[in-house]
């Protein structure tokens, strides 16, 4: 695995090459992972996933779901990739599911607590590595103490999280060397330390001294940490890391937050955000097009005017009350305004849903609780999100990241009713 960068300032543009056991796969940077639940893209079968454009070469597995299959995978002996029917996919195993909150206060000097369908699981370093040997992932996050995101963790707790994580990392690296099943696997070291800058820097420097394949910026998920503090910590941490190894961040998925992290040196993100949008009965409609041709610009202007008209007709507060987690980058398709809207989810979108179905049809599926609603929304939201990352790379290449940022931040302020369609 090797990072090949063609630009560094204002965002790292390049490719993460030599991925997988064969070394033939690659992930363009900045990029995102395919979010899965027990190895399957939410709502989608293998066939419907193939109809989604721009699917990343790396899929994210979450340890809590796979830990419950430990004995089955151990007996199977051929690894999770073949077991879940994705033998050619590069697999990254993260310690937690970004969608599932983890209760605070259960980690100790010897164990980290994970939460799955069966409840709490105490994970020692040796048990963690036993499960990784059964999964045989291409990449995996080292076990770490990231229980510092509650906003109540002080300096003492932050120091303890760094000390524990480094201790876990040293033992895991030793066990990795001794594991023939993991000889082709790459371990990512976690950067911990809560919101204490000195501890974050210590964690970054000490982890960088060890033979890890990449770095995970952990503990930035949620809203407990002030935005200014979060961005300052990310910039300070990435400045301490070597240029030739990838940086992943967990728990950051909103488009505006993604751009701010990319500006500060982060390479890889998760794609849990489209899943959360789908679960709300929403469709992503934000624009990311910084290179409009004249005809497309007219179409998009017309589309934006339609959205503004719709927004004026209905009270946006009603939608916000329907789901307080809703962001300005999506539209709530359960709203009655869409029952007679026979346009696509997003004008100009090339996804399976937008090419074949209408907002009115998806609205009908949602209000009647049809399973197909989740399938169609997931296909659209995944493809739109993956295309957004392609647009980021294009903007970096053409020195237009500032334009893209202004476009997104304008939509973030205006709200979903005024969001312009994207490609």
């Amino acid at each position: 695995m090797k990072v090949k960068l063609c630009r560094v300032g204002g965002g790292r543009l390049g490719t993460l090459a030599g991925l997988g056991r064969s070394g033939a796969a690659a992930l363009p940077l900045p990029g995102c992972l395919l979010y899965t639940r027990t190895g399957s893209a939410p709502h989608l079968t293998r066939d419907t996933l193939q109809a989604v454009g721009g699917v990343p070469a790396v899929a994210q597995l979450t340890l809590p779901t796979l830990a419950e299959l430990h004995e089955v995978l151990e007996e199977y002996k051929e690894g999770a990739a073949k077991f879940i029917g994705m033998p050619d996919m590069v697999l990254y195993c993260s310690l937690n599911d970004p969608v599932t909150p983890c209760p605070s206060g259960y980690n100790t000097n010897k164990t980290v607590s994970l939460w799955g369908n069966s409840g709490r699981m105490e994970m020692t370093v040796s048990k963690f590595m036993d499960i990784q040997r059964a999964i045989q992932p291409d990449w995996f996050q080292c076990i770490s103490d990231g229980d510092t995101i509650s906003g109540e963790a002080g300096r003492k707790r932050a120091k303890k999280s760094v000390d524990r994580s480094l201790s876990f990392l040293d033992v895991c690296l030793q066990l990795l060397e001794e594991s023939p099943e993991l000889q082709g696997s790459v371990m990512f070291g976690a950067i911990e330390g809560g919101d204490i800058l000195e501890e974050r820097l210590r964690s970054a420097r000490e982890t960088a001294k060890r033979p890890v394949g990449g770095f995970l910026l952990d503990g930035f998920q949620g809203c407990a940490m002030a935005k200014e503090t979060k961005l300052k910590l990310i910039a300070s941490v990435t400045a301490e890391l070597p240029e030739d190894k990838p940086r992943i961040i967990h728990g950051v998925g909103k488009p505006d937050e993604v751009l701010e992290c990319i500006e500060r040196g982060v390479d890889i993100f998760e794609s849990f955000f489209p899943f959360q949008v789908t679960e709300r009965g929403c469709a992503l409609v934000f624009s990311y097009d910084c290179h409009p041709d004249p005809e497309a610009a007219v179409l998009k202007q017309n589309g934006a005017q339609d959205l503004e008209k719709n927004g004026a007709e209905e009270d946006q507060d009603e939608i916000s009350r329907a789901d307080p987690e809703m962001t300005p980058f999506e539209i709530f398709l359960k709203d009655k305004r869409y029952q007679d809207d026979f346009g696509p989810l997003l004008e100009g979108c090339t996804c399976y849903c937008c090419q074949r179905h209408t907002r009115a049809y998806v609205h009908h599926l949602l209000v009647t609780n049809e399973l197909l609603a989740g399938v169609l929304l997931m296909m659209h939201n995944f493809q739109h999100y993956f295309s957004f990352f392609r647009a980021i790379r294009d903007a970096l290449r053409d020195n237009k990241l500032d334009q893209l940022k202004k476009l997104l931040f304008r939509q973030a302020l205006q709200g979903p009713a005024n969001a312009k369609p994207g490609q």
Side-chain angles (χ1 to χ4, degrees), residues 209-237:
K209 291 177 184 177
R210 291 155 168 83
V212 294
F215 304 95
L216 162 69
L217 280 65
D218 195 24
F220 292 105
Q221 51 267 55
C223 303
M225 193 183 294
K227 181 180 176 181
E228 296 76 16
T229 303
K230 184 184 296 187
L231 295 178
K232 181 183 176 183
L233 288 172
I234 291 171
S236 300
V237 165

Side-chain angles (χ1 to χ4, degrees), residues 21-192:
R21 302 300 168 105
S22 66
L27 181 70
L29 302 178
C32 68
L33 310 169
L34 172 65
Y35 174 72
T36 73
R37 312 203 92 180
T38 323
S40 297
H43 297 290
L44 304 183
T45 64
R46 185 177 178 180
D47 290 338
T48 49
L49 180 63
Q50 288 177 344
V52 176
V55 175
V58 184
Q60 177 185 9
L61 305 175
T62 58
L63 192 62
T65 54
L66 291 174
E68 295 171 342
L69 297 173
H70 177 206
E71 292 180 4
V72 176
L73 287 169
E74 199 169 48
E75 190 172 333
Y76 183 65
K77 290 184 171 47
E78 296 187 55
K82 191 173 179 181
F83 182 78
I84 63 177
M86 291 183 169
D88 301 321
M89 186 71 85
V90 179
L91 300 183
Y92 165 67
C93 184
S94 63
L95 192 61
N96 295 296
D97 187 328
V99 174
T100 307
C102 296
S104 181
Y106 290 91
N107 293 350
T108 69
N109 288 334
K110 294 184 178 180
T111 65
V112 169
S113 289
L114 305 181
W115 302 84
N117 294 329
S118 58
R120 179 185 170 207
M121 295 174 280
E122 283 194 303
M123 197 70 56
T124 62
V125 175
S126 60
K127 185 177 179 182
F128 169 80
M129 290 301 290
D130 284 343
I131 296 172
Q132 296 299 340
R133 278 190 283 268
I135 298 170
Q136 298 175 29
D138 298 281
W139 313 347
F140 63 97
Q141 171 196 348
C142 183
I143 188 171
S144 62
D145 178 18
D147 186 15
T148 56
I149 60 174
S150 65
E152 301 171 1
R155 185 177 296 272
K156 185 177 179 182
R157 181 66 184 88
K159 182 179 185 302
K160 189 179 288 185
S161 78
V162 174
D163 291 340
R164 285 176 179 172
S165 299
L166 290 172
S167 174
F168 292 155
L169 178 58
D170 287 336
V171 179
C172 284
L173 285 168
Q174 184 179 346
L175 292 174
L176 179 63
E177 276 189 30
E178 300 167 359
S179 304
E181 302 93 335
L182 296 174
Q183 286 312 298
S185 299
V186 174
M187 187 187 295
F188 278 66
I191 311 298
E192 303 292 356

Side-chain angles (χ1 to χ4, degrees), residues 31 148 223 254 327 336:
T148 56
C223 303
K254 294 176 185 176
T327 68
K336 63 183 180 181

Side-chain angles (χ1 to χ4, degrees), residues 27-28 30-36 41-42 44 48-60 89 253 269-275 284 286 288 378-394 423:
L27 181 70
C32 68
L33 310 169
L34 172 65
Y35 174 72
T36 73
L44 304 183
T48 49
L49 180 63
Q50 288 177 344
V52 176
V55 175
V58 184
Q60 177 185 9
M89 186 71 85
F269 300 79
E270 302 161 306
S271 61
F272 66 91
F273 179 65
F275 170 64
L284 291 172
F286 66 93
Y288 47 71
M378 195 76 257
M379 294 177 80
H380 167 78
N381 289 334
F382 259 158
Q383 182 159 325
H384 192 70
Y385 198 69
F386 298 153
S387 298
F388 166 55
F389 276 87
R390 186 177 67 241
I392 294 173
R393 294 190 291 272
D394 291 343
Q423 292 285 341

Side-chain angles (χ1 to χ4, degrees), residues 10-12 217 230-232 234-239 247 259-266 405:
R12 286 155 53 96
L217 280 65
K230 184 184 296 187
L231 295 178
K232 181 183 176 183
I234 291 171
S236 300
V237 165
T238 55
R247 300 94 175 259
L259 282 185
E260 289 177 322
C261 290
I262 286 172
E263 284 185 313
R264 288 158 179 81
V266 179
K405 189 176 176 182

Side-chain angles (χ1 to χ4, degrees), residues 170-385:
D170 287 336
V171 179
C172 284
L173 285 168
Q174 184 179 346
L175 292 174
L176 179 63
E177 276 189 30
E178 300 167 359
S179 304
E181 302 93 335
L182 296 174
Q183 286 312 298
S185 299
V186 174
M187 187 187 295
F188 278 66
I191 311 298
E192 303 292 356
D195 59 1
I196 308 300
L197 178 60
E198 292 84 355
E199 293 303 324
R200 283 280 177 183
L201 294 176
R202 181 169 72 92
S203 180
R205 290 165 184 158
E206 288 298 321
T207 305
K209 291 177 184 177
R210 291 155 168 83
V212 294
F215 304 95
L216 162 69
L217 280 65
D218 195 24
F220 292 105
Q221 51 267 55
C223 303
M225 193 183 294
K227 181 180 176 181
E228 296 76 16
T229 303
K230 184 184 296 187
L231 295 178
K232 181 183 176 183
L233 288 172
I234 291 171
S236 300
V237 165
T238 55
E240 296 291 328
L241 301 178
E243 294 282 346
D244 61 345
K245 291 182 179 180
R247 300 94 175 259
I248 295 179
I249 193 165
H250 282 179
V252 175
K254 294 176 185 176
D256 53 338
E257 295 177 356
V258 165
L259 282 185
E260 289 177 322
C261 290
I262 286 172
E263 284 185 313
R264 288 158 179 81
V266 179
D267 297 322
I268 304 170
F269 300 79
E270 302 161 306
S271 61
F272 66 91
F273 179 65
F275 170 64
Q276 291 180 319
V277 172
T278 298
E279 293 297 279
R280 290 193 281 267
C282 295
L284 291 172
V285 294
F286 66 93
S287 173
Y288 47 71
D289 188 3
C290 293
H291 310 79
D293 60 70
E295 289 185 20
V298 172
L299 285 172
K300 290 181 182 184
Q301 187 176 9
N302 293 340
Q305 288 170 354
D306 289 343
L307 283 166
E308 287 170 13
K309 183 179 177 183
N310 286 340
E313 290 171 359
E314 297 289 336
D315 185 4
Q316 284 297 308
D317 289 341
E318 291 296 322
I319 295 176
S320 297
R321 282 198 291 271
D323 195 324
E325 296 297 318
M326 186 174 166
T327 68
F329 305 105
E330 60 201 84
I331 54 172
F332 183 58
L333 285 165
K334 282 186 179 180
D335 192 274
K336 63 183 180 181
R337 80 175 69 168
Y338 298 112
Q339 64 186 6
D340 296 318
D341 188 338
F342 296 101
L345 301 187
L346 186 60
E347 200 69 51
C349 179
T350 60
C351 81
Y352 179 93
C353 179
C354 289
Q355 293 296 304
R356 292 167 176 80
H357 301 294
T358 65
R359 291 177 174 183
Y361 180 58
V362 177
H363 167 83
H364 159 72
L365 294 175
L366 285 166
V367 297
T368 55
N369 294 316
E370 290 284 351
L371 294 177
L372 184 58
V375 175
L376 294 177
L377 281 175
M378 195 76 257
M379 294 177 80
H380 167 78
N381 289 334
F382 259 158
Q383 182 159 325
H384 192 70
Y385 198 69

